[in-house]
Amino acid sequence: SRIQVAAAPSIKLTVVSGNNQTAVNGVELQRPVSIRVTDINELPYPGVRVQASVANGGTLNAPSAMTDEMGLAQFRWKPVSSALNELRATVDGAGSVVATALGQPNFAAGGIVNAASFVAGISPGSIATVFGANLAGVNPGVNPGDAQVMVNGSPVTVFYADNRQINFLVPAGLSGTSAQVLVKTSIGSSPPATVAVAQANPGIFFDTATGLGAILFKAKAASQWFAFSAPARGDVIEIYATGLGAVQNAAGGLQQTVVTPQVVIGGAGAKVLFSGLAPGFPGLYQVNAQIPDGAASGLQTLMLSIDGTRSNEVKLNIQ
């Protein structure tokens, strides 16, 4: 037989059971947290020492455990009453993995932001994000599970929920300068938080790794749209954003923004051809603009503004 000893960076840790149990102050979780260690071939890796630590207090039955023949290491955990209870398991020289014991949803008012720009505050008809802890309950994921967001006492559409983040649709009819937001799960309800409301709070979606905006373009002679490509001067681009304010009926069944935003690309103003809701996508706005002749080549910044309120800046590569 041949035995291969894996280098630490090729070892992977996974929580296989015991995650997202309900935390009761000072009471051991019903099930142990089981961590599986595998090698680069996804095979169990026995005889590895796994270190564990817990955030915000709480106790473990042992600070480390050896993996068995199935690559499993188990920890018994007594969490405390905290907004965020996490167990972090590590292997020397390798990565780490986190298990969570859930309590009531918890977030601060500053954690309610525009889903595209991450600027605090919400606007009617936009997509907003809540950042916090224990937000999704026992069923996190693209299916929102048992998470519910209430705005001024009424439930709203939830697009995505995990225990650190929820994306939701702000009601188009929301009025006033502030609103009460809370999150409910099967475990409990957060305290209500007061968040500022602006009639427009523009934000452009972007790739967080590169800073490139969520922008499609179609060359004048082409028949299809391209993403993350380099348009030329005179090409028409589609900018995807949220928080552009009230809309009204327009030709062809479209919903057009009441106020047309200004678009600036590389310091030069761009001609806006359309601004409104992207058909079939609640809360998602689409702005069609033409690359100005005065725009410089290469990686340029792009931003838009409505009534003096500026969006975040994103990047666009121009031929």
Side-chain angles (χ1 to χ4, degrees), residues 18-75:
N19 196 21
N20 293 331
Q21 297 181 75
T22 302
V24 179
N25 187 28
V27 177
E28 186 176 282
L29 298 176
Q30 291 186 351
R31 293 176 289 124
V33 176
S34 295
I35 309 296
R36 188 168 189 252
V37 180
T38 54
D39 65 11
I40 196 170
N41 300 308
E42 301 293 336
L43 296 174
Y45 208 85
V48 175
R49 183 172 298 278
V50 180
Q51 308 284 340
S53 60
V54 291
N56 300 322
T59 58
L60 296 171
N61 64 321
S64 65
M66 300 292 290
T67 56
D68 60 17
E69 66 277 4
M70 298 302 294
L72 294 175
Q74 293 189 333
F75 297 92

Side-chain angles (χ1 to χ4, degrees), residues 94-290:
S96 64
V97 70
V98 173
T100 301
L102 299 176
Q104 290 188 341
N106 185 276
F107 60 91
I112 308 172
V113 299
N114 180 293
S117 66
F118 307 127
V119 172
I122 60 176
S123 61
S126 69
I127 303 172
T129 296
V130 178
F131 291 111
N134 307 319
L135 298 179
V138 296
N139 295 308
V142 175
N143 181 343
D146 64 358
Q148 188 177 49
V149 177
M150 311 287 288
V151 177
N152 288 342
S154 298
V156 299
T157 299
V158 174
F159 296 119
Y160 171 86
D162 65 28
N163 283 317
R164 290 296 193 93
Q165 173 182 342
I166 293 180
N167 295 346
F168 68 95
L169 180 65
V170 180
L174 186 66
S175 60
T177 58
S178 65
Q180 295 286 308
V181 177
L182 62 84
V183 175
K184 289 183 176 181
T185 70
S186 57
I187 296 173
S189 176
S190 71
T194 301
V195 60
V197 176
Q199 290 309 300
N201 180 22
I204 303 172
F205 290 98
F206 65 98
D207 177 43
T208 56
T210 64
L212 289 170
I215 297 170
L216 300 180
F217 95 95
K218 182 172 70 174
K220 286 175 283 190
S223 60
Q224 66 185 63
W225 294 84
F226 299 91
F228 298 120
S229 298
R233 297 172 187 84
D235 286 342
V236 175
I237 59 173
E238 291 183 354
I239 306 161
Y240 287 92
T242 193
L244 304 191
V247 295
Q248 58 190 354
N249 293 330
L254 297 175
Q255 295 284 298
Q256 186 172 335
T257 57
V258 173
V259 178
T260 300
Q262 293 179 317
V263 175
V264 177
I265 302 173
K271 182 180 179 180
V272 175
L273 306 176
F274 172 79
S275 172
L277 290 174
F281 297 93
L284 180 65
Y285 291 75
Q286 171 186 328
V287 178
N288 295 0
Q290 190 170 32

